Amino acid sequence: MVQDTVIIEEGPDSKRMKLDDEAKKLVQSVLVKKPGGESIINEYNRTKALKDETRRKMVNILAADMTEKNGGSPPRLVKEKYARGIVALFPYLSDPYSKNGFEHYYDGESGTGYLAWRIKTIQRNLAKERRGSFEGQVSYAERGSGGPTVARHSKFTSEIVLSEDECKEAIAFMNHSADEDAIKKKMKLTFDYRRKMVLDPMQSSDLLTIFPRFKDIKGLIEQDFVLMFGEGVSGKLLEKWTTAFKKKVIQQCKRLPATSDLQELLLAAESLRDDPEEDVHIVWDSDLASVLLLLHLIPPSAQGRKRPGKVSASQAENHLVVFKKSGTNIEEQLQDISASAQPYLLAVGPQKDSIHQFFIILDQHAIPCKSTSSLGAFDELFKAHYVFGTSYNTMLHNMYTFIQTTVYNIDVGKVKESPRVAEVRARLLN
């Protein structure tokens, strides 16, 4: 009697577990055999994380092993196996927002990630081409399909659709009315008209000229952002920063190489300012200092040879917030600065840790923030990028992308992120 043979096919979960196990054993065997590899494993077992210096050492060891065994241009599947092995061996290094969790080490679709970049460096060194490691790369914003400059469907659908002539009549009404409630209603009705302007390069720079009430009625940026994304998304930074992110950002920054600027921000971020006897120099208040610490944790990418070289976190800070003493004439200040397509905060007060008013500066216009708190002002600054359709400043791009995807959860999986953004997210969320 002939018996039928039953073939049991592996399911996707079983296949993935098998791939993870093989990759884990590969990475573990490489690290155990190579000098310095065991110290990497020991650091992770002790802290459930890797310092930046340790991560670089691990990537160097694995990339060297990969090229030794597979030549100067290892196949995509080989690079994916090593990347998979890293997060299989060290699960807390996995990025919960990416498809596989290891794309910040190697992303086969875009050819980016720490391993890919290290291999490219090895290739350039072999060819004796002394160029910067990020030279010639297309920016993440240009390669992605998300962010503040893309067309998107808004959450808001108006029951009344205005014709172009009716929109112009509403604009004329708003520009001459003193009734704030009526103006806010008209701003809602003309929301679609503004979105079309934002997406038209010929008109976007005229938005604040045609809708000047942004400059004297507080809260209009918040209103437009809510119309775009809804109340739930709009409230995420203020709900989550102090409870879910601030303390972890401070902890991670304490592991960075110490500099005077970093130490000042750490001191400010941890200061409660409740003790009147406390006599220390504080640069900014606690919340703003913790946001600025992100620039140290997620620093600007190198700009390449054709642009200014490596930018420090402290230099980038000046493109996010500028301090002016109380009594400064804002209009005179605007005349003295060059027009900027990327918005930044102007903080006015007697000293940096005691700000009385924040303004968003955009295209030589000053837009008063509704919030008097630094975190609230930063929230409005981020939202201004979307309301006015302006790209992130290149020096702040990595930090803003982290805020966008990890805090607000906007365009997750659509916008291209640097491996550093994904790595920091893995550290803070795991």
Side-chain angles (χ1 to χ4, degrees):
M1 181 177 177
V2 179
Q3 291 184 336
D4 292 334
T5 302
V6 178
I7 299 174
I8 301 175
E9 294 187 0
E10 284 187 312
D13 290 342
S14 178
K15 287 181 179 179
R16 178 164 183 159
M17 288 177 64
K18 185 177 179 181
L19 288 172
D20 286 348
D21 188 55
E22 290 176 357
K24 176 181 177 180
K25 289 177 180 177
L26 169 66
V27 169
Q28 188 172 29
S29 67
V30 173
L31 293 179
V32 168
K33 293 174 184 177
K34 299 289 183 179
E38 286 195 2
S39 66
I40 295 170
I41 296 173
N42 292 337
E43 180 178 317
Y44 177 84
N45 289 338
R46 192 172 61 253
T47 66
K48 295 295 182 282
L50 294 180
K51 295 177 183 175
D52 293 341
E53 181 182 354
T54 310
R55 182 258 300 156
R56 285 191 289 268
K57 185 188 297 183
M58 175 187 69
V59 168
N60 290 350
I61 290 173
L62 295 177
D65 182 77
M66 206 186 309
T67 53
E68 285 171 12
K69 295 175 179 176
N70 301 276
S73 299
R76 172 176 171 172
L77 288 177
V78 171
K79 289 181 276 194
E80 284 185 348
K81 186 172 184 178
Y82 277 76
R84 181 187 295 274
I86 291 172
V87 299
L89 182 61
F90 306 126
Y92 283 96
L93 303 187
S94 175
D95 174 17
Y97 280 19
S98 64
K99 182 180 178 181
N100 297 299
F102 58 72
E103 281 81 355
H104 51 307
Y105 286 100
Y106 179 68
D107 182 353
E109 293 187 8
S110 64
T112 59
Y114 288 125
L115 288 172
W117 289 349
R118 179 57 188 169
I119 289 170
K120 288 176 184 176
T121 300
I122 292 171
Q123 292 167 345
R124 282 193 290 268
N125 289 341
L126 290 172
K128 296 183 180 179
E129 294 177 3
R130 302 186 179 281
R131 290 180 292 181
S133 62
F134 293 94
E135 180 187 332
Q137 284 192 357
V138 179
S139 75
Y140 295 106
E142 290 169 348
R143 289 165 47 191
S145 58
T149 60
V150 302
R152 63 178 72 246
H153 294 291
S154 65
K155 295 285 186 181
F156 173 69
T157 303
S158 177
E159 295 179 359
I160 303 172
V161 179
L162 301 185
S163 67
E164 185 165 347
D165 286 341
E166 288 172 326
C167 283
K168 290 178 179 178
E169 288 177 9
I171 291 168
F173 168 82
M174 287 188 287
N175 290 348
H176 296 92
S177 175
D179 185 340
E180 287 197 10
D181 289 336
I183 291 170
K184 288 181 177 179
K185 288 178 183 177
K186 293 289 186 183
M187 287 290 280
K188 277 190 176 182
L189 292 175
T190 54
F191 173 72
D192 288 335
Y193 185 87
R194 279 194 302 288
R195 298 317 302 159
K196 291 176 183 177
M197 283 190 66
V198 163
L199 297 172
D200 184 347
M202 301 297 291
Q203 297 187 66
S204 58
S205 60
D206 296 328
L207 192 66
L208 283 169
T209 303
I210 296 173
F211 291 93
R213 303 317 295 265
F214 276 108
K215 296 191 288 182
D216 68 338
I217 296 180
K218 297 176 182 179
L220 294 181
I221 289 176
E222 171 71 15
Q223 178 173 285
D224 267 19
F225 191 85
V226 169
L227 295 179
M228 292 175 72
F229 295 103
E231 293 278 2
V233 172
S234 183
K236 285 193 173 183
L237 178 79
L238 299 183
E239 291 169 4
K240 295 163 65 175
W241 184 257
T242 54
T243 57
F245 290 99
K246 181 177 177 179
K247 185 177 179 180
K248 292 181 179 180
V249 167
I250 292 170
Q251 289 173 342
Q252 289 294 323
C253 284
K254 287 181 177 180
R255 300 178 179 179
L256 298 174
T259 66
S260 58
D261 291 333
L262 177 64
Q263 293 304 115
E264 280 190 344
L265 286 175
L266 283 170
L267 178 65
E270 293 190 298
S271 173
L272 299 177
R273 302 295 282 166
D274 288 335
D275 184 1
E277 300 299 320
E278 186 180 32
D279 185 21
V280 293
H281 173 64
I282 302 296
V283 284
W284 294 103
D285 71 26
S286 176
D287 284 338
L288 185 55
S290 68
V291 170
L292 294 174
L293 281 173
L294 265 185
L295 289 173
H296 291 262
L297 199 57
I298 310 176
S301 297
Q303 303 295 303
R305 287 189 301 181
K306 294 182 180 180
R307 300 177 183 176
K310 191 172 183 181
V311 178
S312 71
S314 299
Q315 288 173 309
E317 178 184 317
N318 294 326
H319 294 270
L320 193 151
V321 59
V322 173
F323 168 73
K324 291 295 176 182
K325 282 266 191 184
S326 299
T328 299
N329 187 308
I330 302 300
E331 290 303 319
E332 289 182 3
Q333 187 67 29
L334 291 174
Q335 294 172 10
D336 293 338
I337 62 174
S338 57
S340 172
Q342 284 82 35
Y344 64 90
L345 284 178
L346 181 65
V348 180
Q351 54 194 36
K352 282 186 173 182
D353 62 331
S354 180
I355 300 301
H356 293 165
Q357 189 169 12
F358 289 94
F359 295 87
I360 295 169
I361 306 299
L362 175 62
D363 288 330
Q364 290 185 308
H365 295 284
I367 305 168
C369 291
K370 180 180 180 181
S371 178
T372 56
S373 76
S374 62
L375 191 61
F378 177 73
D379 180 59
E380 292 179 52
L381 173 66
F382 175 85
K383 292 170 179 176
H385 291 84
Y386 289 81
V387 171
F388 299 112
T390 182
S391 59
Y392 301 138
N393 187 296
T394 54
M395 298 183 193
L396 307 174
H397 184 268
N398 288 344
M399 183 210 69
Y400 273 135
T401 302
F402 174 86
I403 294 291
Q404 172 192 322
T405 57
T406 309
V407 181
Y408 289 95
N409 305 136
I410 294 173
D411 297 333
V412 175
K414 294 181 180 180
V415 66
K416 289 292 183 181
E417 298 177 316
S418 75
R420 180 62 175 177
V421 170
E423 181 184 37
V424 169
R425 177 168 56 239
R427 290 182 183 181
L428 299 184
L429 296 186
N430 286 324

